[in-house]
Amino acid sequence: MARFTLPRDLYHGKGSLEALKTLTGKRAIICVGGGSMKKFGFLDKAVEYLKEAGMEVKLFEGIEPDPSVETVMKGAQVMLDYQPDWIIAMGGGSPIDAAKAMWIKYEYPEITFEDMCKVFGIPALRKKAHFCAIPSTSGTATEVTAFSIITDYQKGIKYPIADFEITPDVAIVDAELAETMPKKLVAHTGMDAMTHAIEAYVSTANCDYTDPLALHAIEMIQENLVDSYNGNEESRAKMHNAQCLAGMAFSNALLGIVHSMAHKTGAAFADYGAHIIHGAANAMYLPKVIEFNAKDETAAKRYAKIADVMNLGGSSVEEKVQLLIEYLRGMNDKLNIPHCIKNYGADSYPTEQGFVPEDVFLAKLPEIAKNAIGDACTGSNPRQPSQEEMEKLLKCCYYDTKVDF
């Protein structure tokens, strides 16, 4: 038996933020990030709409990019003190992910972070509060997913929390919020969405319900991402919908080792002054993982189907897979994303010598590979890598070398 779970209500289109007026409750807490929602007036609008719905409103502001375990615990304590019956998370993936984890701790104060990370092991929520997610970026799709990514900075590891319990009750996908994204964020979140759709389509947990969502998302991203990056407003709105469709697909079909590797390398080199931004990591690793997974016959046929949907040409499965890899690398070029960690600058742009020194990468490699294999996303990858294969694959992602194993 398989399961397909989405938010009960999804409001979409410009101006749909107003749907907050329809929520019923006594107290709402709004969880937000670094200030863009306030700067562009969306936070004030949200507060106004919730007050119109008859609720008291409290703010929890300043959730950082790549939110920490400490931020989650702090926010959960604020919720325990305030006792909201609605948790409203708005902004990028970080405040929404953080608020999901806070929600678990709010409903179950005794739960540990380690217990939260047990895949599909969270007890039933909604005994204290319901959850509404409002994304301002077009990539993570956390507004419709059963996932949250929280960083343990002491260990330098990003942990995925995975359980259908944290799928939001309400998602508001308002393209007006996405118009505020800076150009670099458009690129990274867009390639995150493309990775979600491709990994969901080739995942071992794909099904008839997820395949159409994944394929249509891929088509929409192909048609709109580069134009969105270059400032086209209509394409920006289309991308906001496309990333949500990709999220619906992967939340139910799960992901693969592109994400496992991105989770475990993202914060691994923080001592050297930067993170490898999640969407950029996905963009760099995706062509290499396709090359690795395509050694599996079933996966290769699915990549070939993606190439057909994208009208890339090719007469054989092998040729179609290669054309897909070349297309994605070309897309990275158009979005100013490097091809490998060696050329990944601290500002995320391509550079001759990136911020991760070779000797540091090689020293950390065995532990990163081990953690990537143990990541929640690895189990649904079409080809299960050994420790040796994962290390070799990560080396290919560092040096931009061919995957021939």
Side-chain angles (χ1 to χ4, degrees):
M1 180 175 71
R3 179 173 173 178
F4 186 85
T5 300
L6 296 174
R8 184 179 187 279
D9 292 303
L10 193 153
Y11 298 93
H12 57 96
K14 291 190 177 184
S16 54
L17 185 64
E18 194 172 354
L20 288 171
K21 289 182 185 179
T22 68
L23 305 185
T24 56
K26 294 179 180 178
R27 282 181 297 280
I29 186 167
I30 302 179
C31 301
V32 291
S36 65
M37 291 298 92
K38 179 182 280 187
K39 176 183 174 183
F40 293 105
F42 295 114
L43 181 57
D44 287 343
K45 276 187 181 180
V47 170
E48 182 185 319
Y49 291 147
L50 289 166
K51 286 182 175 177
E52 280 188 52
M55 288 193 238
E56 295 175 30
V57 183
K58 185 177 185 65
L59 302 181
F60 184 83
E61 300 181 80
I63 296 170
E64 74 275 33
D66 303 306
S68 66
V69 177
E70 290 76 17
T71 295
V72 168
M73 299 306 166
K74 182 180 173 185
Q77 187 57 54
V78 171
M79 291 179 187
L80 283 163
D81 294 340
Y82 182 61
Q83 293 290 304
D85 44 22
W86 273 100
I87 298 166
I88 314 294
M90 67 186 303
S94 294
I96 299 174
D97 279 4
K100 285 179 173 180
M102 292 171 195
W103 184 23
I104 302 166
K105 185 74 174 173
Y106 168 48
E107 299 231 0
Y108 293 94
E110 305 306 315
I111 200 169
T112 64
F113 181 67
E114 289 70 26
D115 285 337
M116 288 188 201
C117 293
K118 290 176 182 173
V119 178
F120 296 99
I122 294 169
L125 299 179
R126 296 164 181 81
K127 299 185 187 303
K128 292 183 180 178
H130 286 83
F131 194 100
C132 173
I134 309 164
S136 64
T137 61
S138 303
T140 69
T142 188
E143 72 277 4
V144 293
T145 75
F147 299 97
S148 164
I149 307 297
I150 305 298
T151 302
D152 183 330
Y153 284 91
Q154 291 184 338
K155 295 180 179 176
I157 295 176
K158 294 185 178 185
Y159 287 96
I161 299 172
D163 199 292
F164 286 118
E165 284 298 320
I166 60 170
T167 304
D169 299 286
V170 176
I172 299 175
V173 186
D174 187 335
E176 286 184 4
L177 279 68
E179 289 171 6
T180 66
M181 282 194 294
K183 198 168 185 179
K184 181 161 72 172
L185 192 58
V186 173
H188 294 161
T189 56
M191 287 308 293
D192 192 18
M194 179 65 100
T195 307
H196 290 156
I198 291 175
E199 287 211 292
Y201 189 70
V202 300
S203 158
T204 57
N206 72 74
C207 70
D208 290 341
Y209 294 86
T210 58
D211 283 354
L213 293 165
L215 289 175
H216 190 53
I218 290 165
E219 282 185 291
M220 290 182 72
I221 295 165
Q222 180 189 19
E223 290 169 8
N224 293 287
L225 176 52
V226 173
D227 287 344
S228 173
Y229 176 74
N230 290 322
N232 184 290
E233 197 173 297
E234 185 180 345
S235 291
R236 185 72 58 90
K238 290 277 191 185
M239 275 301 303
H240 210 44
N241 288 337
Q243 64 86 32
C244 188
L245 294 174
M248 292 178 189
F250 91 77
S251 185
N252 292 280
L254 307 179
L255 292 164
I257 58 172
V258 178
H259 273 77
S260 303
M261 293 157 63
H263 292 155
K264 302 321 182 199
T265 53
F269 309 103
D271 291 349
Y272 292 83
H275 278 209
I276 301 176
I277 296 169
H278 179 71
N282 284 338
M284 292 190 295
Y285 306 162
L286 180 59
K288 303 301 182 192
V289 170
I290 291 173
E291 209 168 10
F292 175 79
N293 283 341
K295 307 290 191 295
D296 175 89
E297 186 180 349
T298 302
K301 287 177 180 175
R302 288 203 146 237
Y303 289 129
K305 173 67 174 177
I306 290 170
D308 287 342
V309 166
M310 296 173 74
N311 292 311
L312 301 183
S315 55
S316 67
V317 168
E318 292 77 13
E319 191 179 356
K320 290 174 183 181
V321 171
Q322 193 54 45
L323 287 167
L324 175 61
I325 290 168
E326 289 171 9
Y327 183 91
L328 293 168
R329 287 176 64 88
M331 186 172 261
N332 286 347
D333 288 334
K334 290 174 183 174
L335 300 171
N336 208 15
I337 296 173
H339 289 299
C340 62
I341 300 169
K342 183 172 179 277
N343 301 133
Y344 184 94
D347 58 2
S348 84
Y349 293 125
T351 183
E352 192 170 333
Q353 182 54 57
F355 83 94
V356 181
E358 182 180 23
D359 59 334
V360 172
F361 172 80
L362 293 173
K364 289 179 178 276
L365 178 60
E367 186 68 16
I368 290 171
K370 177 186 168 188
N371 290 333
I373 289 170
D375 188 90
C377 295
T378 300
S380 47
N381 193 70
R383 190 179 167 200
Q384 291 299 300
S386 65
Q387 175 75 18
E388 181 186 1
E389 286 170 335
M390 181 59 82
E391 288 186 25
K392 287 168 72 175
L393 186 55
L394 283 160
K395 280 185 179 180
C396 292
C397 292
Y398 184 85
Y399 297 109
D400 190 21
T401 49
K402 187 169 178 57
V403 180
D404 57 4
F405 52 90

